[in-house]
Each structure stands twice: as structure tokens, then as C-alpha cells.
Amino acid sequence: MIEFNKTPYTGNEEKYVLEAMKAGKLSGDGKFTKLCHNWFVKELACHRALLTPSCTHALEMAAILIDTQPGDEIIMPSYTFVSTANAFLLRGAKIIFVDIRPDTMNINENLIEAAITNKTKAIVPVHYAGVACEMDTILALAKKHNLFVIEDAAQGVRSFYKGKPLGTLGDIGAFSFHDTKNYTSGGEGGLLVINNSKFTERAEIIREKGTNRSNFIRGSVDKYTWVDIGSSFLPSDLQAAYLWGQLESIDEINQARLSSWKAYYDAFKGLKNANMVELPHIPSECEHNAHMFYLKLTDLTTRNMFIDYLKSCGIAAVFHYVPLHSSPAGNQASVFSGKDKFTTHESERLVRLPLYYGFEELDQKKVIKATLDFFS
Ligand SMILES: Cc1ncc(COP(=O)(O)O)c(C=O)c1O
């Protein structure tokens, strides 16, 4: 069976995980967590980068940081993972979904302004497949209406918009190091990226269960105490050690993924020209990280037939998000602003092909051949 995904593993992780185990301190903010924090602050040129147990947790922290209150409205696409919405729903907000663009599957920046009311608190662009949303327009709208921008860059590590890393354009960014992402911290993990310095100190407090422990460790207070709401948003140093092994090989992982992505793209250009499929669109201002390779078929029935066909060839291909507004929880706590012209239709046509670090060329050739066979 050709799997859809395999946990990225370079070989460096083992020695760092063992080193962390032997250090005698595995709780949060150990040696490897600090190494990762410093690496990201330098790489992203952000105010603070804080590892979290998952991207879900990073988004939850972001919702607390912007002081989301019951009744606040948060704008996002419906074509996203549940955590994008849950983080704000947990604080009592109302979710306002905006339709996506069919070319990138990202929120349609031109429809956002119509969804803004005097209750709107933030816009949450989700950079689907590591391809940036149209951030200039989104940031200008946020400025005009005095809104926060929280980037859900779960899939966006090592992707850029006009040369700037995703996750660093809004007030706050959130990354995922889940097993399925380009870089993992051993199965689960995330990062909160603070770009707006007004959130820096409070982010540390919220992450430390609402205490000022980070200040205490730095020596700026002589005892630590409970000062705010918060939770346990720190990962174990074991997770950071695994991630550190990946960060050392970040270019190698990125290049390998990009070359698999390009091989798919080149192989399927003919299908695209024959109008049998649509291929991912990368706007000229975006540099992507080959997080995902998807095809869009004509409709749901053909897409499902294709998935079944690949399965019969021993290949795992999968669809992606079921739009949140059509799920039972999304239905209750959200409103779709305007018409769902593309969200449902485009999501039903999309299928993701196997792509991971260590994807053998021979296996990729089998996927390409099976795909071309299906369409012939
Ligand atoms: C867009 C998006 N946001 C958030 C998440 C949540 O990430 P995590 O599993 O690290 O909590 C995911 C997970 O796939 C995602 O795709």
C-alpha cells in the first residue's frame, strides 16, 4: 500500500530525543524548547515564538490574547479544520464564514468587507496547502476596521507571501507540527508566533497556566504568582527535541517535498490542458512549501470514483475538509456571510495525493501511472 502520509523522520531526531531524556528535565521550556524558540525568532524575525502542544492550542491562546468575548464576531473561511473555529467558539464568539476563492481554496479577500459588522473582532486567514491568502488586502481591511489578524498557518511553515514568512504578517500566527505536516515535533505540536509586541508578555503568562513563571525564571520577579487566566500550553521537551532534529534538516525536507510536488505537477499538465482536472494554483507573490498536492476533478461522484480506483491500485488518496458550516456544530454557532458559491462545490471535487518526506520516486511513478490510467 502506498500511504497518504508518513511521519517525517531524518535520523537526527533520535539522538536529540535521547539527549532530552537523559537531561533529567523533560517539562516545558527545557534546552530543546529554547533552541527551537530562538531558531524561530531568528527565522521569522518575530517578537516571540512559543512552542505549544498543538496548533489547536496556539489558536486557543490567540483567541484569549485578543480578548475574545461572547458576542464578538470572527471572520474565517468555512473550508478549514475545526480548530480554527473552535478556538474562538470556546470563548463565546460567533463565527462568520466567508466563501473561498476557487483557485487557491483560500478565503476570498474581496468578500470579507461585506461580512464586517461593529461586532467583528478579528479576521482569521487560513493559508491552505501552504499557499498564502491575499494578505495585502486582508491587512488593509483589518487596519481600516481596526481588527486583529490571526493567521492560521498550520500548513504554512516555510511558505512566503511577497518574501515574508507566513505566520508573520498578522498580529499573531499559528503553526502545526502534527504528524501530517511538513515538520513534526513527534506527532503533535504547534507554535504561537507573536508579531504584535503588545501580546508578548501576556502570551507567556497564558501559556504558563496564568502565572508569571517566565518572568520569575528570567529573574525579573522574585516569586511567581497567578496573574491572569491561562492553561497548560507547554509541550514536553521531548517534542521540542524531535522538532530540533527536523529543523536541522529543514532545507533538505523542503527541497524533497518541492521536487515530489513538481513531479506531480509536470505529470498532470496534460490532464489539465484536456480540462479533466484542475491543478493547484500558486499566485506569483507566493512561495509555497509543497505541503500538499491536490487535484480537483469535475464533481463529487468522479472524485469518489477516483479515490476508490486508487485504493484498488493500493494507493491511499484522501479528500479534505468538509466545510464547517455544513457540520452539526458549525451549523449552530456560525453564519455564512453571502453565498456559498465555491466552498462546498470546490471541496467536493478535491483529492489529495500521497506526498511526504521520503516518498520514493518509484512509488510516485505508480501514483502518476494509476492517475493517468484512470483518466484514459
Ligand atoms: C488549517 C488548520 N488549522 C489548525 C489545525 C490544527 O492543528 P493541530 O493538529 O496541530 O492542532 C489543522 C490541522 O490539520 C489545520 O489544517
Side-chain angles (χ1 to χ4, degrees):
M1 186 78 183
I2 299 176
E3 313 279 349
F4 169 68
N5 179 58
K6 278 188 188 166
T7 306
Y9 177 74
T10 66
N12 299 330
E13 298 81 355
E14 210 170 303
K15 70 172 186 259
Y16 295 133
V17 169
L18 278 174
E19 192 185 323
M21 281 170 69
K22 288 177 184 161
K25 182 190 180 295
L26 278 180
S27 55
D29 289 340
K31 172 183 163 181
F32 288 100
T33 306
K34 283 183 195 137
L35 283 172
C36 291
H37 284 176
N38 292 340
W39 190 93
F40 277 108
V41 167
K42 198 162 166 229
E43 169 86 4
L44 303 173
C46 58
H47 281 283
R48 194 71 98 237
L50 296 169
L51 287 184
T52 54
S54 67
C55 181
T56 301
H57 288 88
L59 290 166
E60 287 175 14
M61 284 183 70
I64 298 174
L65 280 169
I66 64 163
D67 208 17
T68 310
Q69 297 293 323
D72 285 347
E73 294 180 357
I74 311 289
I75 294 175
M76 64 181 66
S78 169
Y79 187 65
T80 182
F81 192 63
V82 292
S83 301
T84 322
N86 262 336
F88 299 92
L89 277 181
L90 279 166
R91 312 239 64 82
K94 187 169 162 189
I95 308 300
I96 310 296
F97 293 124
V98 166
D99 207 8
I100 54 167
R101 294 163 45 146
D103 57 353
T104 57
M105 306 295 287
N106 283 334
I107 192 165
N108 186 334
E109 66 280 0
N110 296 320
L111 301 177
I112 293 175
E113 191 154 30
I116 295 174
T117 70
N118 56 9
K119 292 185 180 155
T120 308
K121 182 139 216 175
I123 306 171
V124 188
V126 179
H127 304 298
Y128 187 68
V131 177
C133 297
E134 218 314 280
M135 290 305 290
D136 278 354
T137 309
I138 293 172
L139 293 171
L141 278 175
K143 195 167 177 201
K144 179 175 167 194
H145 295 275
N146 201 19
L147 308 174
F148 293 113
V149 174
I150 315 284
E151 291 176 77
D152 184 337
Q155 306 168 3
V157 181
R158 266 289 157 113
S159 283
F160 301 85
Y161 173 80
K162 297 191 174 174
K164 279 201 81 185
L166 300 194
T168 68
L169 297 135
D171 297 280
I172 300 173
F175 287 154
S176 173
F177 301 121
H178 184 262
D179 222 19
T180 50
K181 302 302 185 289
N182 295 20
Y183 314 97
T184 184
S185 46
E188 303 283 348
L191 186 84
L192 182 81
V193 181
I194 303 288
N195 306 309
N196 182 336
S197 60
K198 82 177 217 185
F199 295 126
T200 309
E201 192 177 348
R202 192 164 179 236
E204 288 184 341
I205 290 169
I206 289 166
R207 183 166 168 272
E208 277 280 16
K209 300 105 183 158
T211 73
N212 57 358
R213 187 164 176 270
S214 297
N215 279 336
F216 172 68
I217 288 167
R218 278 195 291 267
S220 54
V221 290
D222 54 13
K223 61 176 191 238
Y224 80 89
T225 186
W226 182 24
V227 291
D228 201 340
I229 60 165
S231 190
S232 186
F233 288 120
L234 288 82
S236 148
D237 212 42
L238 277 181
Q239 283 164 281
Y242 194 102
L243 181 64
W244 185 243
Q246 306 244 305
L247 295 180
E248 270 196 347
S249 305
I250 193 163
D251 291 328
E252 183 191 320
I253 296 175
N254 196 39
Q255 280 312 317
R257 294 190 73 105
L258 283 166
S259 105
S260 302
W261 192 96
K262 189 169 179 308
Y264 273 143
Y265 195 91
D266 291 344
F268 301 139
K269 268 185 195 156
L271 295 179
K272 180 188 176 214
N273 294 339
N275 288 327
M276 286 175 168
V277 299
E278 277 174 43
L279 303 181
H281 169 67
I282 315 293
S284 58
E285 59 275 17
C286 300
E287 191 184 318
H288 75 115
N289 60 1
H291 172 61
M292 182 193 302
F293 192 89
Y294 63 79
L295 297 173
K296 284 200 277 175
L297 279 64
T298 40
D299 52 34
L300 179 65
T301 313
T302 326
R303 195 268 313 261
N304 290 347
M305 275 168 58
F306 177 56
I307 291 177
D308 288 346
Y309 177 76
L310 289 185
K311 197 172 169 195
S312 74
C313 302
I315 297 163
V318 290
F319 55 86
H320 210 182
Y321 312 128
V322 174
L324 297 182
H325 71 288
S326 53
S327 58
N331 222 337
Q332 276 172 25
S334 64
V335 167
F336 200 102
S337 165
K339 270 176 62 180
D340 169 8
K341 194 168 167 199
F342 294 114
T343 301
T344 301
H345 183 63
E346 298 301 308
S347 66
E348 287 180 342
R349 305 195 300 128
L350 185 143
V351 54
R352 296 177 289 160
L353 298 181
L355 201 170
Y356 46 83
Y357 175 66
F359 191 26
E360 297 290 342
E361 210 179 315
L362 207 64
D363 282 343
Q364 185 170 26
K365 283 196 169 135
K366 285 184 196 160
V367 181
I368 291 172
K369 181 177 180 308
T371 303
L372 295 175
D373 286 350
F374 175 82
F375 285 99
S376 69

